[in-house]
Amino acid sequence: MSTRKIIILNGHPAPSSLSQSLCQTYQTAAEAGGHKVRYHDLSSMQFDIDYGQTGYQNVKPLEPDLAAFLSDLEWADHVVMATPMWWGAIPAKLKGVFDRALLPGRAFDTRNVNVLGLPAPMLTGKTARVLLTSDTPALWLRLIYGNAIKRIISSQILGFVGIKPTRFSSFAPATDAAEKTVLSWQRKVADLGARAA
């Protein structure tokens, strides 16, 4: 397997979490496998999550943490993101990363649209792995909620800017998971990291 360039985003806003543990496990295994990794931790990123009402003609300058994230996203050929599912979606601060950093001219090209009027994606040639933690079992998430959070992440966020395919690994129920369960999840993530999958 060739060496991959991987960006990891721990999308949990707390300084310590299961998401962080999974990201660190993935990073350790990926680096041991010879892959290049750049890591971003949402809890330590400082930026205004509110895009505001200025429109794309007068956007806020990216804060250093967002600028570094976007630069590393452009550099990478594989994107790994861990996120909890809160109220059926991703945390507000994580949504703020996408609202603020995925901008025209860097993430998509509004001057080049397809027959449906959609802008051309500019972050193509990348794949993604999402480590999704929740208290909703994966079967329930699919049958009752139609995998809404997965469709939003894979199609309306990552896929929109050209990052695809997005594969998911679900870990649930997460809140009171037993230690042996967490260890089994970490082994699964370590295997993904070793393979840069």
Side-chain angles (χ1 to χ4, degrees):
M1 181 192 307
S2 60
T3 299
R4 302 197 75 182
K5 298 181 293 184
I6 304 170
I7 180 174
I8 298 177
L9 173 61
N10 169 24
H12 198 296
S16 179
S17 65
L18 174 60
S19 296
Q20 181 188 58
S21 171
L22 297 177
C23 285
Q24 291 172 342
T25 298
Y26 189 105
Q27 179 178 11
T28 299
E31 289 176 338
H35 303 288
K36 298 177 181 177
V37 178
R38 296 183 182 176
Y39 179 83
H40 294 262
D41 197 314
L42 184 67
S43 69
S44 63
M45 295 173 70
Q46 300 296 315
F47 63 95
D48 181 359
I49 69 171
D50 184 14
Y51 181 81
Q53 301 177 4
T54 59
Y56 286 140
Q57 291 72 35
N58 187 25
V59 298
K60 296 176 185 177
L62 293 181
E63 294 89 343
D65 286 337
L66 287 182
F69 169 76
L70 181 54
S71 177
D72 287 348
L73 187 60
E74 292 169 327
W75 163 85
D77 54 47
H78 188 54
V79 180
V80 176
M81 179 179 77
T83 181
M85 184 176 77
W86 286 357
W87 293 107
I90 61 177
K93 188 175 181 182
L94 180 56
K95 177 64 162 52
V97 171
F98 301 130
D99 286 349
R100 292 288 317 285
L102 299 183
L103 298 173
R106 297 282 295 273
F108 56 94
D109 185 359
T110 56
R111 299 165 300 176
N112 179 13
V113 298
N114 64 19
V115 294
L116 298 176
L118 296 174
M122 298 180 70
L123 297 175
T124 57
K126 307 172 191 299
T127 56
R129 168 72 59 179
V130 176
L131 309 174
L132 178 65
T133 64
S134 71
D135 286 330
T136 303
L139 182 63
W140 185 274
L141 186 64
R142 178 169 60 86
L143 295 179
I144 304 302
Y145 298 122
N147 279 333
I149 186 172
K150 294 182 178 182
R151 288 186 287 110
I152 290 169
I153 293 171
S154 63
S155 299
Q156 296 178 276
I157 299 175
L158 300 180
F160 186 84
V161 298
I163 301 170
K164 53 186 167 181
T166 295
R167 294 180 173 88
F168 289 83
S169 297
S170 297
F171 305 95
T175 297
D176 296 313
E179 182 178 356
K180 67 177 182 179
T181 300
V182 173
L183 289 174
S184 71
W185 292 345
Q186 289 174 330
R187 285 193 294 270
K188 178 178 179 180
V189 170
D191 177 65
L192 292 172
R195 296 185 290 112

